[in-house]
Amino acid sequence: MGTVVNAANKEGTESALSIKKPKVVFVLGGPGSGKGTQCANIVEHFGYTHLSAGDLLRAEIKSGSENGTMIQNMISEGIIVPAEVTIKLLEKAILGTKNDKFLIDGFPRNEENRAAFESLTGIVPEFVLFFDCSEEEMEKRLLSRNQGRVDDNIETIRKRFKVFVESSLAVIEYYDSKGKVKKIDAGKPVEEVFEAVKAIFTPVEDKA
Ligand code: ADP
Ligand code: C5P
Ligand code: MG
């Protein structure tokens, strides 16, 4: 994979992203909690650009990149791809978009993702939207998602839940300790979840 942007390097050169300084909201939650579904609603109503880390990784596989096989194997096992790979894809997408407001969905997924993004880009999220949903409900949704994903089978779904609990929850706890987490009950119907989401994105002056 070619280097597309100047990420901060060991000499301390400023990254292209730290110069663009986009406004970023991280959208986190277990697999099937409804991140992609609600991000589409947010884009429509609030003018953000949606970047799903999983979608970018799947596009990278399709593009025939030299990392494709490695990414494919990791996704099939529900494992988190090295931060460097995912961050390069996110940087390329952000820099290739005129908008300066981004929903980054499904990233950071572990402590390595979080720390590398922070140190390479210097970007601190405005806040973290956390979709809280039971495994029972997420399992039901994933098994009927029907998008032909190699990882939406019961064996891989269980592995993904384990990775979420063992690696991803720590990221949410980290941001919670900084007062940045806005938690949503994501077990409700789509419209009800979006009502709660809207309340978060609607500026205070518009709520009156
Ligand atoms: P994620 O991006 O968090 O993995 P998705 O948005 O792809 O989740 O949703 C997973 C599946 O569940 C999709 O088939 C979607 O249509 C469905 N879904 C999303 N939100 C809800 C909801 N609140 N209630 C029921 N089904 C939902
Ligand atoms: O978010 P999504 O469900 O689309 O992610 C699918 C898979 O993509 C994850 O299970 C993981 O293998 C990979 N992924 C990753 N790093 C991320 C996001 C997704 O490795 N930050
Ligand atoms: Mg998704």
Side-chain angles (χ1 to χ4, degrees):
M1 192 171 61
T3 305
V4 186
V5 292
N6 308 311
N9 58 28
K10 291 190 186 76
E11 292 79 45
T13 307
E14 230 179 334
S15 74
L17 262 193
S18 61
I19 294 163
K20 174 162 176 165
K21 288 199 178 60
K23 182 172 160 181
V24 163
V25 173
F26 288 144
V27 181
L28 304 178
S33 59
K35 300 180 295 295
T37 303
Q38 296 299 333
C39 282
N41 287 334
I42 300 166
V43 165
E44 201 181 310
H45 287 75
F46 299 100
Y48 280 76
T49 294
H50 173 211
L51 299 177
S52 154
D55 286 351
L56 290 171
L57 289 165
R58 284 182 287 271
E60 187 68 1
I61 297 169
K62 279 213 185 116
S63 78
S65 115
E66 64 182 60
N67 279 324
T69 310
M70 182 258 297
I71 298 171
Q72 172 89 35
N73 290 338
M74 296 189 88
I75 287 183
S76 300
E77 288 299 313
I79 301 167
I80 313 297
V81 172
E84 185 202 354
V85 173
T86 315
I87 292 169
K88 272 193 186 135
L89 297 174
L90 286 167
E91 280 184 318
K92 186 179 170 188
I94 292 172
L95 294 171
T97 307
K98 272 211 178 121
N99 202 351
D100 65 348
K101 290 159 56 172
F102 294 88
L103 300 168
I104 300 192
D105 154 6
F107 182 97
R109 208 61 156 233
N110 60 13
E111 189 54 20
E112 189 228 8
N113 274 187
R114 185 198 64 71
F117 186 81
E118 202 168 285
S119 70
L120 289 172
T121 70
I123 295 172
V124 173
E126 301 286 311
F127 59 89
V128 174
L129 198 56
F130 168 39
F131 290 115
D132 189 25
C133 194
S134 69
E135 285 192 1
E136 190 189 2
E137 174 67 18
M138 294 193 290
E139 182 180 306
K140 214 164 61 186
R141 292 180 189 176
L142 293 173
L143 288 174
S144 53
R145 180 152 58 181
N146 260 331
Q147 288 177 356
R149 281 178 51 164
V150 291
D151 54 349
D152 280 349
N153 59 79
I154 191 62
E155 195 192 336
T156 313
I157 287 169
R158 299 232 158 99
K159 289 182 185 165
R160 290 155 70 199
F161 286 164
K162 192 161 184 282
V163 167
F164 179 71
V165 171
E166 290 178 356
S167 306
S168 309
L169 272 179
V171 174
I172 295 158
E173 280 160 13
Y174 170 86
Y175 286 116
D176 199 30
S177 76
K178 308 239 172 245
K180 285 198 171 275
V181 173
K182 296 183 193 286
K183 180 164 136 179
I184 303 264
D185 177 357
K188 296 181 175 164
V190 174
E191 300 72 27
E192 283 181 46
V193 176
F194 188 53
E195 283 306 311
V197 168
K198 255 203 289 206
I200 287 169
F201 281 88
T202 303
V204 183
E205 62 267 27
D206 293 356
K207 285 183 187 163

